Amino acid sequence: MTGYGSEREAYLKRLRRIEGQIRGLQRMVEQDKYCIDILTQVSAATKALQSFSLELLDEHLATCVVQAAAAGGEEADLKVREASDAIARLVRS
């Protein structure tokens, strides 16, 4: 079971919006738009993905990790390690 189940439709809506931003970037390149304008839109798409990632991570910590920690054992250790690794990847990106 996923922790984001109750927010699934909202997450999908956000991802579709981000997909639209990426398609807009493709059109800008196809239309030879000004480089700085494209970079501005890249920055907006990057921020949207980062925001999505942080919300999903928060949801994961609040549900999956908390539930595993309450249960204890190896599952708890695994979930904490997964979350830590995910945070490290986000920080490096």
Side-chain angles (χ1 to χ4, degrees):
M1 177 167 186
T2 58
Y4 59 84
S6 64
E7 298 295 322
R8 180 183 169 119
E9 287 307 314
Y11 285 151
L12 287 171
K13 184 177 179 180
R14 288 182 70 183
L15 288 170
R16 287 183 194 106
R17 200 172 323 130
I18 294 167
E19 179 182 20
Q21 287 179 293
I22 301 305
R23 288 181 189 203
L25 283 165
Q26 291 172 326
R27 281 190 302 276
M28 289 178 82
V29 171
E30 289 169 351
Q31 296 169 358
D32 291 326
K33 296 292 183 182
Y34 186 54
C35 297
I36 298 302
D37 293 339
I38 295 171
L39 289 171
T40 299
Q41 292 307 311
V42 167
S43 177
T46 300
K47 181 156 177 49
L49 276 172
Q50 288 171 339
S51 176
F52 174 82
S53 297
L54 290 174
E55 283 191 34
L56 190 60
L57 177 62
D58 186 55
E59 187 74 29
H60 179 69
L61 291 171
T63 56
C64 299
V65 175
V66 167
Q67 290 170 3
E74 288 182 31
E75 182 70 14
D77 294 341
L78 174 65
K79 293 294 182 191
V80 169
R81 172 58 34 210
E82 285 177 342
S84 179
D85 290 347
I87 292 166
R89 284 191 301 274
L90 288 172
V91 168
R92 285 191 296 263
S93 65

